[in-house]
Amino acid sequence: QGMEDYSVGKYFTAIEFFEEILNRYPFSKEATLAELKAADCSYHLGRYVEALLLYEEFENRHPTNEGIPYVMFQKAMCNYKQIDRVDRDTSGAEKSIVLFRQLLKAYPSSPYTEEAKSNIASATEFLANHEFFVAEFYTRTAKYDQAKVRLKYLLNAYPNSGVAPQAEELLAQIESGDPPRSRLTSWFPKVEMPDWDFFGREDEADSAVEPVQR
């Protein structure tokens, strides 16, 4: 019944069935799958912090399970889904990159390899744009030394990012002693950001291949 509800998106009821199995029959053959699907339910319900904890517990309890590549991918996705606006916290992007890379290192040929690489690229672009946002703020407020530090860091850490050319231009102007001082709004380039809400909540990319549990 839990799997039937899960398959049609009834995650609120599905998780109740999975939790009942875990509470009443913790040593049954169904318990391992119920444990994983309970984590998946929390994930699909947008409870990413809770889902991450459940995935971590599953990984710790079943380190040799055939579903571990999927679990590692989902751990990364729990952080990736929390990527917000470019002017906000960057921890979701940073942690997701670390976890995606761990997956790629441990299981380079898993079904999640290409999506993990794509998500790393998106999260990295987000971090680069965040650095440019901060540098732009420092420039607007005439804190040019701080702006130079952030721009140099951006160009060193993310030299191939889409915003790198704008960063180079702004750094050159500041270092030449001629930073933009007037009509700042019109001078600063419009950074075309990906739709981070889309990247964070596109269900079709959630779990393209889910493992079969034994």
Side-chain angles (χ1 to χ4, degrees):
Q1 184 63 55
M3 289 301 295
E4 185 175 311
D5 284 1
Y6 178 87
S7 67
V8 295
K10 296 181 179 179
Y11 304 120
F12 281 108
T13 55
I15 198 171
E16 293 177 356
F17 287 111
F18 298 139
E19 289 176 346
E20 184 175 1
I21 290 173
L22 294 171
N23 291 331
R24 295 178 60 185
Y25 311 104
F27 303 110
S28 67
K29 65 179 182 179
E30 292 83 6
T32 301
L33 180 58
E35 195 176 345
L36 179 57
K37 301 317 288 185
D40 285 341
C41 284
S42 291
Y43 174 82
H44 289 301
L45 289 169
R47 303 171 181 170
Y48 301 122
V49 174
E50 178 182 334
L52 178 59
L53 178 61
L54 294 175
Y55 287 126
E56 289 174 341
E57 290 177 349
F58 183 94
E59 185 177 26
N60 291 334
R61 290 191 185 115
H62 314 285
T64 60
N65 187 276
E66 64 183 340
I68 290 301
Y70 170 77
V71 171
M72 294 180 70
F73 178 78
Q74 288 297 100
K75 284 169 54 183
M77 287 299 296
C78 285
N79 286 284
Y80 186 76
K81 292 269 187 170
Q82 296 182 71
I83 295 178
D84 204 339
R85 287 183 357 211
V86 71
D87 59 335
R88 295 191 179 175
D89 182 31
T90 61
S91 61
E94 292 165 348
K95 291 176 182 177
S96 71
I97 290 172
V98 170
L99 292 171
F100 282 129
R101 285 176 175 166
Q102 288 177 0
L103 169 64
L104 294 175
K105 182 177 180 180
Y107 301 96
S109 301
S110 80
Y112 316 102
T113 295
E114 292 307 312
E115 190 174 347
K117 290 179 179 178
S118 176
N119 290 348
I120 287 173
S122 295
T124 300
E125 194 69 22
F126 172 86
L127 293 174
N129 278 277
H130 172 78
E131 289 301 319
F132 188 79
F133 172 86
V134 175
E136 178 189 75
F137 170 77
Y138 283 139
T139 304
R140 290 178 188 275
T141 54
K143 296 178 180 178
Y144 302 121
D145 288 340
Q146 293 95 321
K148 286 193 291 185
V149 169
R150 301 307 284 254
L151 290 168
K152 289 179 179 178
Y153 171 76
L154 187 165
L155 293 170
N156 181 62
Y158 315 110
N160 300 316
S161 65
V163 78
Q166 292 96 317
E168 289 177 346
E169 181 182 356
L170 180 56
L171 179 61
Q173 287 194 267
I174 293 174
E175 290 186 328
S176 69
D178 187 29
R181 293 187 175 86
S182 62
R183 300 185 64 189
L184 289 178
T185 302
S186 62
W187 182 88
F188 283 108
K190 297 295 183 182
V191 179
E192 294 298 328
M193 292 296 295
D195 185 344
W196 296 108
D197 188 63
F198 172 84
F199 276 109
R201 306 185 192 284
E202 178 58 49
D203 290 336
E204 292 180 0
D206 282 347
S207 51
V209 182
E210 293 192 16
V212 175
Q213 297 297 313
R214 293 174 180 165

